[in-house]
Amino acid sequence: MMLIGIDPHKSTHTATAVDPETNRDHASLRIDVTLQEYQRMLDWARQWPQRRWAVENARGLGHHLTSWLLARGEQVVDVAPSATARVRQLSRGAGRKNDRIDAAAAACVAALQGDARPVQPERSTDALALLDERRSNLAQARVRAVNQLHALLRALLPGGAPRDLSAAKAEQLLDTVVPVGSAELTRHAIAADLIAEIRTWDVKLKDNAKAMAALVAESESRLTDTPGIGAVTA
């Protein structure tokens, strides 16, 4: 098993292959942080069929590369920067720092000191978290549009409009208005635009709920067996 240590930086990553049995540095490669360069590094690493990646700060600067590798079936462990710093302090020329040494140190720490933690691929729970955040943003956008529409209808209709407006109900109310003058015409036009936006948010929210339901079903959760709990709540 060859360990490939990664020292990640914002614009470049350095990889160093280290044999854990001999602690010998076999080869090193520096790449730019692009998808094409990620592929070049993976192609380079395939010369060692049995390999594991040790990424320094895999949940920080190394997060994107780590996710990319995991998605392609690679084994990845996370090595804390404090652990690689300790290796540098104990190595010859204590404290000296360069990318190749850091990357090799990450692999050495993972192999010899047991400070590395396996990183798991993203799963349905991660996808659900993304969908949940998206749903929250969609709902907030819809609420803003409804509030703006309510304010416009209040100015256009005697007695205003109900607070809980659907797109269909708002359109019915707007159809009763015959605007006169530039201000009313502008309010009427903006209200029509907002109704169209609300319909768009409604479609996106329904699509979001369907995607959530598919992932909840995939996870084989039993929560939806409980009366009153649907996929979104689950």
Side-chain angles (χ1 to χ4, degrees):
M1 173 69 73
M2 185 67 71
L3 281 166
I4 303 174
I6 299 292
D7 183 36
H9 291 265
K10 187 173 182 180
S11 58
T12 64
H13 293 338
T14 301
T16 302
V18 175
D19 184 339
E21 293 185 2
T22 63
N23 201 27
R24 187 165 69 88
D25 176 343
H26 280 255
S28 189
L29 177 73
R30 176 176 291 187
I31 64 166
D32 294 327
V33 180
T34 67
L35 293 176
Q36 291 80 4
E37 289 284 270
Y38 283 2
Q39 187 61 55
R40 182 167 74 91
M41 183 175 66
L42 182 56
D43 292 340
W44 167 80
R46 286 193 173 115
Q47 62 186 292
W48 302 289
Q50 300 297 320
R51 60 184 176 271
R52 180 182 296 117
W53 302 79
V55 181
E56 182 181 17
N57 196 16
R59 302 188 186 281
L61 279 174
H63 175 71
H64 190 273
L65 174 62
T66 298
S67 298
W68 189 89
L69 289 170
L70 288 169
R72 283 149 186 82
E74 297 292 310
Q75 297 181 48
V76 183
V77 295
D78 177 23
V79 183
S82 58
T84 59
R86 184 166 62 250
V87 169
R88 289 197 306 272
Q89 287 292 334
L90 295 173
S91 66
R92 187 173 61 181
R96 66 195 178 99
K97 182 180 190 329
N98 63 54
D99 292 340
R100 187 176 177 118
I101 289 173
D102 284 348
C108 292
V109 169
L112 304 176
Q113 298 187 4
D115 287 332
R117 295 174 299 174
V119 183
Q120 300 300 323
E122 292 182 317
R123 299 180 180 179
S124 59
T125 52
D126 299 288
L128 280 167
L130 293 170
L131 287 172
D132 182 62
E133 182 180 9
R134 174 62 172 160
R135 186 172 189 81
S136 177
N137 291 334
L138 288 171
Q140 290 173 12
R142 187 186 187 283
V143 167
R144 284 194 299 270
V146 169
N147 288 342
Q148 294 170 27
L149 179 59
H150 185 270
L152 290 168
L153 290 177
R154 188 172 55 196
L156 289 169
L157 293 164
R163 298 293 300 179
D164 188 16
L165 278 175
S166 66
K169 180 61 177 176
E171 188 172 51
Q172 290 176 1
L173 292 172
L174 192 63
D175 285 344
T176 66
V177 177
V178 180
V180 176
S182 59
E184 284 195 358
L185 284 167
T186 300
R187 288 191 183 96
H188 194 279
I190 294 174
D193 283 344
L194 287 169
I195 291 170
E197 286 182 12
I198 291 167
R199 284 201 167 98
T200 298
W201 301 137
D202 288 341
V203 170
K204 290 181 180 294
L205 284 164
K206 287 179 181 178
D207 290 343
N208 178 275
K210 289 179 182 177
M212 278 191 173
L215 285 173
V216 169
E218 180 184 311
S219 72
E220 299 182 350
S221 170
R222 300 292 300 276
L223 285 172
T224 52
D225 294 342
T226 306
I229 296 184
V232 174
T233 304

